[in-house]
Every structure is written in structure tokens, then in C-alpha cells.
Amino acid sequence: MVSDTLHFDLVVIGFGKAGKTLAGTYARSGKNVALIEQSSQMYGGTCINIGCVPTKALVERAHTLREGENPDEHYASAVTFREKLTGAMRAKNKEILLSNETAKLIDGHARFISDTEIEVTGGDTSLRITADYFVINTGAVPVLPAIDGLAESTRVLTSTELQSLEPRPQRLAVLGGGPIGIEFAGIFASYGTQVSILDGPPALFDRYDEDVAQVARDILTEQGITVHSGVRVERIEDSAEGVTVYYANSEGASQGLEADYVLVATGRKPATEGLGLENTSIKLTERGAIAVDEHLRTSVPNIFAAGDVNGGPQFTYISLDDYRVIASQLMGDGSRSTGDRQAVAATMYMNPPLSSVGLTEREALAAGHRVKVSSKPVAAIAAMPRAKIVGNPAGVMKFVIDAENDKILGAQLLVVESGEVINLVAQAMRFGITASQLRDAIYTHPSITEGINEVLAVQTEVK
């Protein structure tokens, strides 16, 4: 049954970071706003339900497992905590949105029927909706590679299903050595699960400098994680005991790996399926993302795309900045754009976490810079006892510096609490603070940040 057509000043499709923030802000300005979400389990978006927040809850609790403690009980407790946390955050996000008198939450699936109108279906009813502006904020979904037997297997999981899996698997095969694969490998290895990573590139962490990458690989080995690099997965077969992953190794020989479950962590793609974009003038990129300009407008001027669906970096904080860009168009002076982004940092949540920003040494040299490098193993940084205090002195801190002007070109910090320290480095890069100024600053003690004093004290020029 189709009702009369409704009209709003703004319609946001998807309850993600950019969309929910924009919907709330626009509603507080007195505008009539509708936020459409097809799943009540996704109120608040990917980050709080199946992404950053619940997975980091599992990461942190894995680190608190103590010798002699039952790992299965500890794991079950962590999963329970994760469920309570996400449930509370979903409820809070709904409450915050609906606290705005001019905001409406509509449960259902949105589909464009033209450039100016959508249909929302849910149950036996449907709505027709028009708006002055639309924002597509549908996020991304896991990429499932074309591997024989993968789709049919009952033992193949994405990161969404794995983080709620009980009981804990004794053997886990991870397909993919990116941030998601590394993070889950570390979580389950901490609980005693036998974890094996199968990755296509010749070496894990290949986007980092080799000296940093080797330290990271050594850490995984010390944690009991087995890595098979340069492999091609050929097929997956379920058995009475679990599942077998058949793959060709780096020499081309076929091998089989037995596991209880397989995690597919081969990336995520923009979630555009089912949106009815074929009924619009909206264009897609070659990678299937919604094409946008520097102000996040699609090829239809009154339709924006925000977050992972527009093909940008798949980070919640980028989605939040997408909100700022669109808000600048709808409520500000229109000056903000994606071109304003500089020195955007990232963290891979292994243990310890690996954070990076800017150029690697390899990239800086390829770009024609004269480069100086400051690097030191964490265990050797005498003036930074924090890592030893928390019992995790593994890792390395590395800075890449322009030899001509002393500006920081990039950093790779494999150290506890690096996700905090990297923000300071990124801010220094954005505002032109030199390596010498960062080196000579005063930091609290004992902290990881004060390691900067010692690491930057010695700079070696790369010829």
C-alpha cells in the first residue's frame, strides 16, 4: 500500500556518522528532516554496531586476559560486553536524533525512482518521498571474492558475524592481511585460537617501509599467528570437523589448511546495490562508488554522497568530515571541501597498534625529497618508560623528515597508544611544525608522546 507523497527539506539514507550528524544539525536549525534506515540493528551506523566500537571493545578485552584465567569464559564475557555496549549506543543514537522536534526516523529500505523522488518500503507499506536535498550515507559491505565453495560454506564468516561468534573457535583461517584481518587475528590469537593468515601480496604490511613491516611481522609471529604470504586461495570445502582452505603457495604448490571457521577480510565495497541508482542520473566510479565532486555533490546537484559509499577512505573520522563539507554547502559559506584534508592518519589495531600518517621513506624518496630518517626500537627508547610500564615494549617509532626544511613528511609508529600520539604528529604536519620543534617540546611523563624527544634527537640522512 502506497501512501501520499511526503516532502522534507532533507532526506538522509543511512544512519552512519555523516548522515546522522547532518540530520541532527539540520533539524536543530528548524528544517524538516527524515533519516531512513533499513535495519534497527544499525541505528548509529557501522562504527558503533559492527565496526570501530565493538571490535575495539574486543581488542581491549583480549589484552586483559591474565595467566591462569579461562580464555573461553573471558572471551564469552567480552562478547557479552560488546552486545551491551552496541545496544546502549544504538538506543542513545535514536534518542539523540528524535530529540529534535523536526527530525523523523523512518524504518525501511529506500530506493530512488527518479532524481527527485524515492520509495521507502518496509513490511507491507511503502512511502513516496521527495526532498530539497538527499544525502546517500549507506556505507560499505564486505567484498566476497569469487572462490569455489565460499558462498556455499557454512563456516565462512565476515567480520560482522565473527565478532558475535560463540563459542570461541579453536582454529581460525583469515583471508586477507589488511586492517580487518590483522585486527581479528590478534583478538583471537590472544585467547589461544590457532590463527593463520592467508594473504595475496608477497609480504604482509607491504604499504609500510620494510624496516617497520619486518618488526610488525615479527610481532605477529611472537603472538603465535602463522602468516602465508603470496598465496592464491583456490577453493573452500566444509567437512564434518570444520572447513579446509585449499590454496597455492608462493611456489605454486597446492596445500590445504584446516580450520573451524574462515574469516573473509578481503576489503569492503560501497553499498549501492538496491538503491535504484539506475533510475537516476547519478554516476558511479570505475570501482562502483558514487562519484562526487570536492563538495561531495553527485552528478545530480541536490544529491550528496557521504561516508564509505562515495569511495573515499573508509574511516569514521573521514565520514565526520564529510558531514562538515556538506554542512558547509547547506548551512555555511560553501567554502569547505575534501581538498582541505591534509595529513590524515590511520591506525591498524594489532598489539601494539601500528599508526601512520603522510609519506613512507620509500614514497618520500620517490617523490624527489631529500630525506632524513629518525627511527628507534621502542625497547631502546630510554626516556620513554611508558611502554615498559604497561608491559608491552615491542615495536618501533619512525619519522621521515624533509632534509631541506625540517618538516615532517610522515611517521610510522608501532607502539602502545600510537593511535593517540599519531594525532599530535598529524597536527604538526598540518600546521608546519618542524621536526626540531616537535623534538624540543615538553611532554608529560611517563607517556608514549615523550618518546618523540628521544627518537627525533638523531636524524640520519638517506642518500
Side-chain angles (χ1 to χ4, degrees):
M1 179 180 178
V2 179
S3 69
D4 293 337
T5 299
L6 304 177
H7 182 82
F8 293 89
D9 297 311
L10 172 69
V11 168
V12 176
I13 304 173
F15 211 143
K17 184 68 171 181
K20 68 184 181 185
T21 312
L22 184 65
T25 303
Y26 211 50
R28 285 192 294 275
S29 73
K31 301 292 186 178
N32 291 310
V33 176
L35 193 157
I36 302 166
E37 174 53 55
Q38 64 183 357
S39 171
S40 61
Q41 295 302 299
M42 290 298 288
Y43 290 167
T46 294
C47 177
I48 72 164
N49 289 293
I50 59 173
C52 320
V53 172
T55 60
K56 302 314 172 286
L58 295 177
V59 168
E60 293 304 318
R61 271 143 193 82
H63 296 171
T64 65
L65 180 64
R66 298 291 177 254
E67 187 176 350
E69 195 174 355
N70 186 305
D72 293 315
E73 292 178 0
H74 194 284
Y75 170 77
S77 175
V79 173
T80 298
F81 175 83
R82 173 209 172 277
E83 298 295 337
K84 289 181 178 178
L85 177 64
T86 56
M89 294 187 75
R90 275 195 300 274
K92 190 64 176 178
N93 270 262
K94 180 179 180 180
E95 177 189 332
I96 291 172
L97 176 71
L98 296 181
S99 67
N100 301 290
E101 293 183 0
T102 58
K104 182 178 180 63
L105 175 62
I106 300 175
D107 294 297
H109 176 76
R111 179 175 177 272
F112 282 92
I113 55 178
S114 72
D115 285 344
T116 59
E117 189 173 7
I118 62 173
E119 181 180 45
V120 181
T121 55
D124 298 326
T125 61
S126 65
L127 301 171
R128 290 290 181 93
I129 297 176
T130 59
D132 293 344
Y133 297 101
F134 291 95
V135 175
I136 303 172
N137 185 222
T138 49
V141 294
V143 173
L144 299 179
I147 298 172
D148 287 347
L150 185 146
E152 296 77 20
S153 175
T154 61
R155 296 278 179 163
V156 171
L157 307 174
T158 67
S159 59
T160 300
E161 296 95 28
L162 181 59
Q163 60 188 276
S164 298
L165 180 67
E166 290 190 85
R168 174 182 65 88
Q170 300 300 306
R171 302 168 300 171
L172 178 66
V174 178
L175 308 189
I180 295 175
I182 295 296
E183 182 174 316
F184 277 91
I187 291 170
F188 283 91
S190 296
Y191 286 109
T193 296
Q194 181 183 322
V195 179
S196 299
I197 298 174
L198 296 97
D199 198 33
L204 214 57
F205 304 107
D206 61 348
R207 78 177 190 86
Y208 301 91
D209 284 325
E210 178 57 24
D211 51 349
V212 175
Q214 187 57 56
V215 175
R217 291 192 289 265
D218 290 344
I219 287 173
L220 293 189
T221 299
E222 291 167 6
Q223 293 171 349
I225 298 169
T226 302
V227 178
H228 303 278
S229 295
V231 306
R232 186 183 75 257
V233 177
E234 298 172 324
R235 72 182 191 280
I236 293 173
E237 291 184 5
D238 286 1
S239 65
E241 295 76 26
V243 60
T244 303
V245 180
Y246 293 96
Y247 65 95
N249 65 20
S250 55
E251 284 76 42
S254 294
Q255 294 184 264
L257 175 67
E258 295 182 353
D260 298 320
Y261 288 93
V262 176
L263 167 64
V264 178
T266 49
R268 293 172 66 84
K269 63 181 180 180
T272 58
E273 188 175 348
L275 280 176
L277 300 184
E278 67 277 7
N279 301 322
T280 72
S281 304
I282 295 173
K283 296 179 180 178
L284 301 180
T285 68
E286 291 181 359
R287 291 178 170 269
I290 294 178
V292 293
D293 63 15
E294 70 275 15
H295 298 116
L296 302 178
R297 290 183 188 270
T298 69
S299 46
V300 179
N302 69 317
I303 302 178
F304 297 82
D308 297 351
V309 76
N310 67 28
Q314 294 181 357
F315 301 130
T316 297
Y317 44 95
I318 291 296
S319 185
L320 178 61
D321 198 58
D322 281 358
Y323 146 74
R324 298 185 188 109
V325 172
I326 297 174
S328 176
Q329 294 294 305
L330 300 186
M331 294 174 280
D333 61 6
S335 62
R336 188 147 191 160
S337 77
T338 57
D340 299 330
R341 295 171 184 164
Q342 298 177 23
V344 176
T347 297
M348 182 183 294
Y349 283 88
M350 56 185 294
N351 183 25
L354 173 54
S355 299
S356 60
V357 65
L359 302 177
T360 62
E361 176 186 337
R362 179 178 65 247
E363 291 166 341
L365 291 171
H369 293 280
R370 279 186 55 224
V371 170
K372 288 184 177 181
V373 170
S374 292
S375 181
K376 205 164 191 178
V378 170
I381 304 174
M384 188 188 72
R386 176 67 180 170
K388 298 181 180 69
I389 291 170
V390 300
N392 192 353
V396 62
M397 297 177 70
K398 179 175 182 176
F399 293 83
V400 180
I401 303 153
D402 192 315
E404 300 288 346
N405 57 23
D406 199 34
K407 297 292 178 64
I408 300 168
L409 298 173
Q412 297 159 74
L413 308 181
L414 178 54
V415 60
V416 292
E417 301 168 14
S418 67
E420 298 290 344
V421 181
I422 201 68
N423 291 318
L424 172 66
V425 180
Q427 197 76 334
M429 292 172 63
R430 292 184 196 113
F431 290 95
I433 295 172
T434 66
S436 298
Q437 290 170 325
L438 200 63
R439 176 198 66 203
D440 295 337
I442 300 171
Y443 305 114
T444 59
H445 175 82
S447 67
I448 297 300
T449 310
E450 66 180 340
I452 291 172
N453 296 137
E454 185 170 327
V455 176
L456 285 176
V458 179
Q459 297 181 10
T460 303
E461 186 163 357
V462 179
K463 304 298 182 183

mmCIF file of all heavy atoms in Angstrom, residues 227-266:
data_model
loop_
_atom_site.group_PDB
_atom_site.id
_atom_site.type_symbol
_atom_site.label_atom_id
_atom_site.label_comp_id
_atom_site.label_asym_id
_atom_site.label_seq_id
_atom_site.Cartn_x
_atom_site.Cartn_y
_atom_site.Cartn_z
ATOM 1 N N VAL A 227 51.568 -16.770 9.201
ATOM 2 C CA VAL A 227 51.271 -15.970 8.012
ATOM 3 C C VAL A 227 51.735 -16.703 6.761
ATOM 4 O O VAL A 227 52.895 -17.121 6.668
ATOM 5 C CB VAL A 227 51.951 -14.590 8.088
ATOM 6 C CG1 VAL A 227 51.668 -13.788 6.817
ATOM 7 C CG2 VAL A 227 51.471 -13.816 9.316
ATOM 8 N N HIS A 228 50.823 -16.848 5.808
ATOM 9 C CA HIS A 228 51.146 -17.411 4.499
ATOM 10 C C HIS A 228 50.970 -16.282 3.479
ATOM 11 O O HIS A 228 49.835 -15.916 3.144
ATOM 12 C CB HIS A 228 50.229 -18.581 4.150
ATOM 13 C CG HIS A 228 50.239 -19.692 5.161
ATOM 14 N ND1 HIS A 228 51.211 -20.663 5.198
ATOM 15 C CD2 HIS A 228 49.392 -19.964 6.188
ATOM 16 C CE1 HIS A 228 50.967 -21.503 6.180
ATOM 17 N NE2 HIS A 228 49.868 -21.099 6.808
ATOM 18 N N SER A 229 52.075 -15.732 2.994
ATOM 19 C CA SER A 229 52.009 -14.623 2.034
ATOM 20 C C SER A 229 52.225 -15.131 0.615
ATOM 21 O O SER A 229 52.776 -16.216 0.398
ATOM 22 C CB SER A 229 53.069 -13.569 2.378
ATOM 23 O OG SER A 229 52.799 -12.974 3.627
ATOM 24 N N GLY A 230 51.803 -14.316 -0.349
ATOM 25 C CA GLY A 230 51.987 -14.669 -1.753
ATOM 26 C C GLY A 230 51.181 -15.875 -2.175
ATOM 27 O O GLY A 230 51.617 -16.636 -3.048
ATOM 28 N N VAL A 231 50.017 -16.070 -1.567
ATOM 29 C CA VAL A 231 49.222 -17.258 -1.863
ATOM 30 C C VAL A 231 47.974 -16.898 -2.677
ATOM 31 O O VAL A 231 47.550 -15.745 -2.717
ATOM 32 C CB VAL A 231 48.796 -17.994 -0.571
ATOM 33 C CG1 VAL A 231 50.012 -18.290 0.286
ATOM 34 C CG2 VAL A 231 47.774 -17.174 0.217
ATOM 35 N N ARG A 232 47.416 -17.923 -3.314
ATOM 36 C CA ARG A 232 46.155 -17.775 -4.047
ATOM 37 C C ARG A 232 45.187 -18.840 -3.541
ATOM 38 O O ARG A 232 45.433 -20.045 -3.683
ATOM 39 C CB ARG A 232 46.365 -17.949 -5.550
ATOM 40 C CG ARG A 232 45.106 -17.673 -6.380
ATOM 41 C CD ARG A 232 45.324 -17.918 -7.855
ATOM 42 N NE ARG A 232 45.372 -19.356 -8.174
ATOM 43 C CZ ARG A 232 46.468 -20.041 -8.411
ATOM 44 N NH1 ARG A 232 47.656 -19.451 -8.362
ATOM 45 N NH2 ARG A 232 46.418 -21.331 -8.703
ATOM 46 N N VAL A 233 44.099 -18.415 -2.911
ATOM 47 C CA VAL A 233 43.107 -19.357 -2.407
ATOM 48 C C VAL A 233 42.305 -19.910 -3.583
ATOM 49 O O VAL A 233 41.773 -19.156 -4.403
ATOM 50 C CB VAL A 233 42.173 -18.683 -1.380
ATOM 51 C CG1 VAL A 233 41.101 -19.658 -0.912
ATOM 52 C CG2 VAL A 233 42.981 -18.168 -0.193
ATOM 53 N N GLU A 234 42.233 -21.240 -3.667
ATOM 54 C CA GLU A 234 41.601 -21.887 -4.811
ATOM 55 C C GLU A 234 40.179 -22.341 -4.527
ATOM 56 O O GLU A 234 39.284 -22.190 -5.357
ATOM 57 C CB GLU A 234 42.448 -23.086 -5.246
ATOM 58 C CG GLU A 234 43.855 -22.674 -5.697
ATOM 59 C CD GLU A 234 44.767 -23.859 -5.948
ATOM 60 O OE1 GLU A 234 44.645 -24.860 -5.196
ATOM 61 O OE2 GLU A 234 45.582 -23.788 -6.869
ATOM 62 N N ARG A 235 39.950 -22.939 -3.354
ATOM 63 C CA ARG A 235 38.597 -23.403 -3.020
ATOM 64 C C ARG A 235 38.476 -23.629 -1.521
ATOM 65 O O ARG A 235 39.483 -23.715 -0.806
ATOM 66 C CB ARG A 235 38.237 -24.671 -3.790
ATOM 67 C CG ARG A 235 38.950 -25.926 -3.353
ATOM 68 C CD ARG A 235 38.552 -27.112 -4.221
ATOM 69 N NE ARG A 235 39.010 -28.386 -3.689
ATOM 70 C CZ ARG A 235 40.238 -28.853 -3.815
ATOM 71 N NH1 ARG A 235 41.155 -28.149 -4.464
ATOM 72 N NH2 ARG A 235 40.563 -30.027 -3.295
ATOM 73 N N ILE A 236 37.217 -23.709 -1.087
ATOM 74 C CA ILE A 236 36.906 -23.936 0.316
ATOM 75 C C ILE A 236 35.919 -25.081 0.407
ATOM 76 O O ILE A 236 34.916 -25.110 -0.330
ATOM 77 C CB ILE A 236 36.323 -22.659 0.952
ATOM 78 C CG1 ILE A 236 37.396 -21.566 1.022
ATOM 79 C CG2 ILE A 236 35.755 -22.933 2.340
ATOM 80 C CD1 ILE A 236 36.886 -20.226 1.483
ATOM 81 N N GLU A 237 36.205 -26.025 1.288
ATOM 82 C CA GLU A 237 35.326 -27.186 1.447
ATOM 83 C C GLU A 237 34.995 -27.407 2.913
ATOM 84 O O GLU A 237 35.893 -27.463 3.752
ATOM 85 C CB GLU A 237 35.999 -28.452 0.884
ATOM 86 C CG GLU A 237 36.153 -28.471 -0.619
ATOM 87 C CD GLU A 237 36.738 -29.786 -1.108
ATOM 88 O OE1 GLU A 237 36.926 -30.717 -0.272
ATOM 89 O OE2 GLU A 237 37.011 -29.900 -2.316
ATOM 90 N N ASP A 238 33.699 -27.522 3.200
ATOM 91 C CA ASP A 238 33.277 -27.874 4.554
ATOM 92 C C ASP A 238 33.492 -29.363 4.793
ATOM 93 O O ASP A 238 33.440 -30.174 3.864
ATOM 94 C CB ASP A 238 31.797 -27.544 4.755
ATOM 95 C CG ASP A 238 31.551 -26.049 4.897
ATOM 96 O OD1 ASP A 238 32.527 -25.286 4.819
ATOM 97 O OD2 ASP A 238 30.387 -25.653 5.082
ATOM 98 N N SER A 239 33.720 -29.712 6.052
ATOM 99 C CA SER A 239 33.845 -31.105 6.446
ATOM 100 C C SER A 239 33.098 -31.304 7.756
ATOM 101 O O SER A 239 32.587 -30.340 8.349
ATOM 102 C CB SER A 239 35.320 -31.489 6.619
ATOM 103 O OG SER A 239 35.890 -30.765 7.703
ATOM 104 N N ALA A 240 33.056 -32.537 8.232
ATOM 105 C CA ALA A 240 32.365 -32.809 9.493
ATOM 106 C C ALA A 240 33.042 -32.113 10.657
ATOM 107 O O ALA A 240 32.403 -31.722 11.630
ATOM 108 C CB ALA A 240 32.315 -34.314 9.732
ATOM 109 N N GLU A 241 34.353 -31.930 10.559
ATOM 110 C CA GLU A 241 35.129 -31.323 11.646
ATOM 111 C C GLU A 241 35.260 -29.810 11.534
ATOM 112 O O GLU A 241 35.635 -29.135 12.490
ATOM 113 C CB GLU A 241 36.528 -31.931 11.708
ATOM 114 C CG GLU A 241 36.571 -33.406 12.064
ATOM 115 C CD GLU A 241 36.158 -34.299 10.905
ATOM 116 O OE1 GLU A 241 36.318 -33.866 9.730
ATOM 117 O OE2 GLU A 241 35.657 -35.403 11.153
ATOM 118 N N GLY A 242 34.999 -29.258 10.350
ATOM 119 C CA GLY A 242 35.193 -27.820 10.171
ATOM 120 C C GLY A 242 35.222 -27.438 8.709
ATOM 121 O O GLY A 242 34.272 -27.691 7.960
ATOM 122 N N VAL A 243 36.337 -26.849 8.282
ATOM 123 C CA VAL A 243 36.461 -26.372 6.911
ATOM 124 C C VAL A 243 37.925 -26.449 6.491
ATOM 125 O O VAL A 243 38.824 -26.299 7.325
ATOM 126 C CB VAL A 243 35.928 -24.920 6.792
ATOM 127 C CG1 VAL A 243 36.714 -23.967 7.691
ATOM 128 C CG2 VAL A 243 35.936 -24.426 5.361
ATOM 129 N N THR A 244 38.156 -26.713 5.196
ATOM 130 C CA THR A 244 39.511 -26.756 4.664
ATOM 131 C C THR A 244 39.655 -25.694 3.576
ATOM 132 O O THR A 244 38.812 -25.598 2.674
ATOM 133 C CB THR A 244 39.856 -28.131 4.074
ATOM 134 O OG1 THR A 244 39.672 -29.135 5.094
ATOM 135 C CG2 THR A 244 41.291 -28.172 3.590
ATOM 136 N N VAL A 245 40.697 -24.910 3.700
ATOM 137 C CA VAL A 245 41.010 -23.895 2.698
ATOM 138 C C VAL A 245 42.149 -24.429 1.844
ATOM 139 O O VAL A 245 43.246 -24.689 2.340
ATOM 140 C CB VAL A 245 41.427 -22.564 3.347
ATOM 141 C CG1 VAL A 245 41.738 -21.524 2.269
ATOM 142 C CG2 VAL A 245 40.349 -22.056 4.285
ATOM 143 N N TYR A 246 41.891 -24.608 0.565
ATOM 144 C CA TYR A 246 42.917 -25.079 -0.369
ATOM 145 C C TYR A 246 43.504 -23.868 -1.091
ATOM 146 O O TYR A 246 42.766 -23.028 -1.614
ATOM 147 C CB TYR A 246 42.321 -26.063 -1.367
ATOM 148 C CG TYR A 246 41.877 -27.360 -0.725
ATOM 149 C CD1 TYR A 246 40.544 -27.548 -0.336
ATOM 150 C CD2 TYR A 246 42.787 -28.393 -0.504
ATOM 151 C CE1 TYR A 246 40.140 -28.735 0.264
ATOM 152 C CE2 TYR A 246 42.391 -29.584 0.088
ATOM 153 C CZ TYR A 246 41.066 -29.745 0.469
ATOM 154 O OH TYR A 246 40.671 -30.926 1.069
ATOM 155 N N TYR A 247 44.815 -23.785 -1.113
ATOM 156 C CA TYR A 247 45.466 -22.630 -1.716
ATOM 157 C C TYR A 247 46.774 -23.034 -2.388
ATOM 158 O O TYR A 247 47.374 -24.069 -2.073
ATOM 159 C CB TYR A 247 45.752 -21.567 -0.656
ATOM 160 C CG TYR A 247 46.752 -21.983 0.411
ATOM 161 C CD1 TYR A 247 48.107 -21.653 0.292
ATOM 162 C CD2 TYR A 247 46.355 -22.714 1.533
ATOM 163 C CE1 TYR A 247 49.024 -22.032 1.265
ATOM 164 C CE2 TYR A 247 47.257 -23.093 2.509
ATOM 165 C CZ TYR A 247 48.590 -22.749 2.371
ATOM 166 O OH TYR A 247 49.499 -23.131 3.327
ATOM 167 N N ALA A 248 47.198 -22.205 -3.347
ATOM 168 C CA ALA A 248 48.503 -22.377 -3.990
ATOM 169 C C ALA A 248 49.481 -21.466 -3.271
ATOM 170 O O ALA A 248 49.233 -20.260 -3.129
ATOM 171 C CB ALA A 248 48.417 -22.013 -5.472
ATOM 172 N N ASN A 249 50.578 -22.027 -2.781
ATOM 173 C CA ASN A 249 51.545 -21.218 -2.042
ATOM 174 C C ASN A 249 52.392 -20.374 -2.983
ATOM 175 O O ASN A 249 52.171 -20.361 -4.205
ATOM 176 C CB ASN A 249 52.414 -22.095 -1.130
ATOM 177 C CG ASN A 249 53.298 -23.066 -1.910
ATOM 178 O OD1 ASN A 249 53.569 -22.876 -3.104
ATOM 179 N ND2 ASN A 249 53.746 -24.120 -1.242
ATOM 180 N N SER A 250 53.363 -19.663 -2.440
ATOM 181 C CA SER A 250 54.161 -18.733 -3.245
ATOM 182 C C SER A 250 54.972 -19.437 -4.331
ATOM 183 O O SER A 250 55.384 -18.803 -5.303
ATOM 184 C CB SER A 250 55.103 -17.926 -2.335
ATOM 185 O OG SER A 250 55.899 -18.796 -1.554
ATOM 186 N N GLU A 251 55.193 -20.753 -4.165
ATOM 187 C CA GLU A 251 55.898 -21.518 -5.207
ATOM 188 C C GLU A 251 54.929 -22.168 -6.180
ATOM 189 O O GLU A 251 55.347 -22.858 -7.119
ATOM 190 C CB GLU A 251 56.759 -22.613 -4.565
ATOM 191 C CG GLU A 251 58.047 -22.133 -3.919
ATOM 192 C CD GLU A 251 57.788 -21.460 -2.577
ATOM 193 O OE1 GLU A 251 56.953 -21.984 -1.801
ATOM 194 O OE2 GLU A 251 58.397 -20.417 -2.311
ATOM 195 N N GLY A 252 53.636 -22.002 -5.946
ATOM 196 C CA GLY A 252 52.627 -22.563 -6.841
ATOM 197 C C GLY A 252 52.126 -23.931 -6.441
ATOM 198 O O GLY A 252 51.237 -24.489 -7.102
ATOM 199 N N ALA A 253 52.652 -24.491 -5.369
ATOM 200 C CA ALA A 253 52.222 -25.817 -4.921
ATOM 201 C C ALA A 253 50.913 -25.714 -4.153
ATOM 202 O O ALA A 253 50.711 -24.796 -3.362
ATOM 203 C CB ALA A 253 53.303 -26.442 -4.041
ATOM 204 N N SER A 254 50.016 -26.677 -4.369
ATOM 205 C CA SER A 254 48.725 -26.680 -3.696
ATOM 206 C C SER A 254 48.849 -27.239 -2.280
ATOM 207 O O SER A 254 49.550 -28.232 -2.054
ATOM 208 C CB SER A 254 47.707 -27.512 -4.481
ATOM 209 O OG SER A 254 47.426 -26.891 -5.726
ATOM 210 N N GLN A 255 48.161 -26.592 -1.343
ATOM 211 C CA GLN A 255 48.169 -27.016 0.044
ATOM 212 C C GLN A 255 46.780 -26.848 0.640
ATOM 213 O O GLN A 255 45.943 -26.122 0.091
ATOM 214 C CB GLN A 255 49.184 -26.209 0.860
ATOM 215 C CG GLN A 255 50.632 -26.437 0.458
ATOM 216 C CD GLN A 255 51.603 -25.695 1.359
ATOM 217 O OE1 GLN A 255 52.052 -24.608 1.045
ATOM 218 N NE2 GLN A 255 51.928 -26.306 2.497
ATOM 219 N N GLY A 256 46.550 -27.506 1.763
ATOM 220 C CA GLY A 256 45.268 -27.381 2.446
ATOM 221 C C GLY A 256 45.460 -26.936 3.884
ATOM 222 O O GLY A 256 46.387 -27.388 4.566
ATOM 223 N N LEU A 257 44.607 -26.037 4.345
ATOM 224 C CA LEU A 257 44.659 -25.538 5.715
ATOM 225 C C LEU A 257 43.323 -25.825 6.375
ATOM 226 O O LEU A 257 42.273 -25.371 5.906
ATOM 227 C CB LEU A 257 44.945 -24.040 5.726
ATOM 228 C CG LEU A 257 44.909 -23.338 7.095
ATOM 229 C CD1 LEU A 257 46.049 -23.834 7.982
ATOM 230 C CD2 LEU A 257 44.979 -21.827 6.930
ATOM 231 N N GLU A 258 43.351 -26.576 7.475
ATOM 232 C CA GLU A 258 42.123 -26.918 8.187
ATOM 233 C C GLU A 258 41.841 -25.895 9.288
ATOM 234 O O GLU A 258 42.750 -25.438 9.975
ATOM 235 C CB GLU A 258 42.235 -28.320 8.778
ATOM 236 C CG GLU A 258 42.346 -29.412 7.715
ATOM 237 C CD GLU A 258 42.403 -30.801 8.317
ATOM 238 O OE1 GLU A 258 42.483 -30.894 9.564
ATOM 239 O OE2 GLU A 258 42.343 -31.783 7.555
ATOM 240 N N ALA A 259 40.561 -25.567 9.438
ATOM 241 C CA ALA A 259 40.154 -24.592 10.453
ATOM 242 C C ALA A 259 38.733 -24.890 10.888
ATOM 243 O O ALA A 259 38.023 -25.699 10.270
ATOM 244 C CB ALA A 259 40.258 -23.179 9.898
ATOM 245 N N ASP A 260 38.323 -24.257 11.972
ATOM 246 C CA ASP A 260 36.927 -24.336 12.407
ATOM 247 C C ASP A 260 36.069 -23.342 11.635
ATOM 248 O O ASP A 260 34.926 -23.631 11.287
ATOM 249 C CB ASP A 260 36.822 -24.047 13.905
ATOM 250 C CG ASP A 260 37.575 -25.063 14.742
ATOM 251 O OD1 ASP A 260 37.523 -26.260 14.410
ATOM 252 O OD2 ASP A 260 38.227 -24.666 15.717
ATOM 253 N N TYR A 261 36.651 -22.156 11.398
ATOM 254 C CA TYR A 261 35.958 -21.114 10.649
ATOM 255 C C TYR A 261 36.944 -20.346 9.787
ATOM 256 O O TYR A 261 38.148 -20.336 10.058
ATOM 257 C CB TYR A 261 35.236 -20.130 11.591
ATOM 258 C CG TYR A 261 34.010 -20.708 12.247
ATOM 259 C CD1 TYR A 261 34.096 -21.305 13.501
ATOM 260 C CD2 TYR A 261 32.771 -20.659 11.612
ATOM 261 C CE1 TYR A 261 32.966 -21.850 14.114
ATOM 262 C CE2 TYR A 261 31.643 -21.195 12.218
ATOM 263 C CZ TYR A 261 31.750 -21.798 13.464
ATOM 264 O OH TYR A 261 30.641 -22.331 14.053
ATOM 265 N N VAL A 262 36.397 -19.689 8.759
ATOM 266 C CA VAL A 262 37.189 -18.839 7.871
ATOM 267 C C VAL A 262 36.637 -17.424 7.942
ATOM 268 O O VAL A 262 35.421 -17.205 7.768
ATOM 269 C CB VAL A 262 37.126 -19.333 6.414
ATOM 270 C CG1 VAL A 262 37.871 -18.372 5.488
ATOM 271 C CG2 VAL A 262 37.698 -20.740 6.286
ATOM 272 N N LEU A 263 37.493 -16.465 8.228
ATOM 273 C CA LEU A 263 37.116 -15.052 8.169
ATOM 274 C C LEU A 263 37.519 -14.498 6.813
ATOM 275 O O LEU A 263 38.691 -14.568 6.428
ATOM 276 C CB LEU A 263 37.822 -14.251 9.264
ATOM 277 C CG LEU A 263 37.769 -12.720 9.117
ATOM 278 C CD1 LEU A 263 36.333 -12.210 9.208
ATOM 279 C CD2 LEU A 263 38.652 -12.038 10.151
ATOM 280 N N VAL A 264 36.555 -13.954 6.082
ATOM 281 C CA VAL A 264 36.856 -13.272 4.823
ATOM 282 C C VAL A 264 37.064 -11.801 5.122
ATOM 283 O O VAL A 264 36.129 -11.084 5.489
ATOM 284 C CB VAL A 264 35.717 -13.453 3.793
ATOM 285 C CG1 VAL A 264 36.042 -12.698 2.517
ATOM 286 C CG2 VAL A 264 35.508 -14.929 3.487
ATOM 287 N N ALA A 265 38.304 -11.358 4.993
ATOM 288 C CA ALA A 265 38.656 -9.965 5.291
ATOM 289 C C ALA A 265 39.410 -9.385 4.100
ATOM 290 O O ALA A 265 40.528 -8.898 4.217
ATOM 291 C CB ALA A 265 39.503 -9.892 6.556
ATOM 292 N N THR A 266 38.771 -9.445 2.946
ATOM 293 C CA THR A 266 39.408 -9.021 1.697
ATOM 294 C C THR A 266 38.932 -7.646 1.242
ATOM 295 O O THR A 266 39.009 -7.308 0.061
ATOM 296 C CB THR A 266 39.138 -10.062 0.597
ATOM 297 O OG1 THR A 266 37.738 -10.384 0.562
ATOM 298 C CG2 THR A 266 39.916 -11.338 0.862
#
